[in-house]
Amino acid sequence: MAQRATFPSNFVWGAATASYQIEGGHTDGGKGQSIWDKFSHTPGKIANGDTGDVACDHYHRYADDVALMSRMGLRSYRFSIAWPRIFPEGKGKFNRAGIEFYQRLVDRLLEHRILPFATLYHWDLPQALQEKGGWANRDVAHYFRDYAAAVYEALGDRVHHWITHNEPWVTAVLGYTTGVHAPGLADPRQGVAAAHNLLLSHGEAVLAMRDISAKGLHVGITLNLSPAYPASDSDQDVAAARKADAYQNRWFLDPVFKGRYPEDLLEMFGDLGTGIVADDLPVISVPIDFLGVNYYSRQIVRHDPAAPNGIGRVREPSSEYTAMDWEVYPDGLYTLLTRLERDYGPELYITENGAAYEDILTPDNKVHDDRRIAYLRGHLNACHRAIRDGAKLRGYFVWSLLDNFEWAFGYTRRFGVAYVDYQDQRRILKDSARWYRETISENGPELEEQA
Ligand code: IFM
């Protein structure tokens, strides 16, 4: 019998998804247009011209999907709420049919004893608010607070775990600075302002929710974090890695947990930082109950005078890479979790971790995704070691429950532990889903050699 890495008895085992990536039903139940509806319909933005119009059709199949979760032995499910279903214009008229969809979903989850974790924003901003400047407009932070309060009023009796934002770094950088995500802007100044307003909206939402009822409420924010390793011991590479850490990690961690922006980051921003309002920091740093961590890979950094801020990237040729071309590096998760404990100290959930591979559906309807199993096992072992060494890690959500719309990559990347046949919307459990079910029921994966 394999030895197991046993987790604490109350450890939360789950899987995660996001509204635009799985729901479809893009005009159903009075839903308004989101920036991703608009962006995905803009020629040239998404691989193969894919859109989330239908996606996994979860909007219509949610009951079957909850039954699938139950078959997988999941104890928890992290999903996101589509703001344009609740306020089709972003503010003003509340759409009852929109919230009823999530009430039905949550009721089903609870019937199956699956603990809901709801994310308020996973990137599908109402297009009407983009027309007012989107996250670069500070008013949108206040509209987000109102939206958060309305959703919490409607669902707070049955959902106790809330995440304000998913990966605000991605919203700001990919959406406003590089433009590969909706709304597709390439304006670094707006990127910095958007990041600040996202942080402000987070703090305002937490305060508003606590005002409504703090009883039983666990609220946090999810950040995409990635430790930066210098490519060599040279002072220049070490300094470049430190800058990469400021840009990737401390940009959001420090305002939320320390109430200040990192000095070295402000230096890097220079006059691009005009959207940063120091007076907002007390709201941004309102205490939260946990930090959600999305971890996929590390970064190896060298000094490169030709790269922005001198931050150059290095590829480790001996490593394995996923279909996203992301290095498989479980030890980076251990490094990250223990560093979060040392420097910030919050309770933690891994709110996303997983891998895309070129999965093949066999004629007898199987997907033998051994590499995904190895990826998950390696990362769970890293979690186990981090807990042993003091990290307050309370749960783990695999990304993702289902194959889904992978943003600019459309449907070309499969992250699910359940395979989706987009022709007929069949769900087929991959070997990794069976492995995960066993891991959950044993409360931990097979133990690996300790690093
Ligand atoms: O699919 C995304 C998800 O929406 C946010 N975190 C990373 C995942 C994989 O790219």
Side-chain angles (χ1 to χ4, degrees), residues 21 122-123 166-167 294 296 326 352 399 406-407 415:
Q21 294 182 271
H122 197 127
W123 308 350
N166 181 72
E167 304 182 356
N294 290 357
Y296 290 91
W326 295 344
E352 289 182 24
W399 184 268
E406 178 53 28
W407 309 112
F415 273 93

Side-chain angles (χ1 to χ4, degrees), residues 222-248:
T222 280
L223 303 178
N224 54 304
L225 301 171
S226 172
Y229 291 70
S232 78
D233 292 341
S234 79
D235 289 350
Q236 285 191 318
D237 285 354
V238 170
R242 176 123 192 102
K243 281 191 193 170
D245 180 58
Y247 189 69
Q248 177 71 51

Side-chain angles (χ1 to χ4, degrees), residues 65-125:
D65 285 338
V66 174
L68 184 82
M69 295 174 212
S70 182
R71 277 201 353 250
M72 282 174 51
L74 293 185
R75 306 277 166 74
S76 186
Y77 174 54
R78 171 179 178 238
F79 60 98
S80 79
I81 293 169
W83 185 345
R85 287 199 192 281
I86 314 301
F87 289 103
E89 297 295 312
K91 63 191 180 85
K93 200 180 146 296
F94 178 80
N95 179 35
R96 189 143 302 284
I99 203 74
E100 282 170 0
F101 166 66
Y102 296 104
Q103 286 171 332
R104 289 195 298 274
L105 169 65
V106 167
D107 288 347
R108 273 292 160 141
L109 290 169
L110 295 175
E111 273 164 35
H112 283 84
R113 306 170 75 84
I114 297 173
L115 181 73
F117 269 59
T119 303
L120 287 161
Y121 188 77
H122 197 127
W123 308 350
D124 36 3
L125 186 75

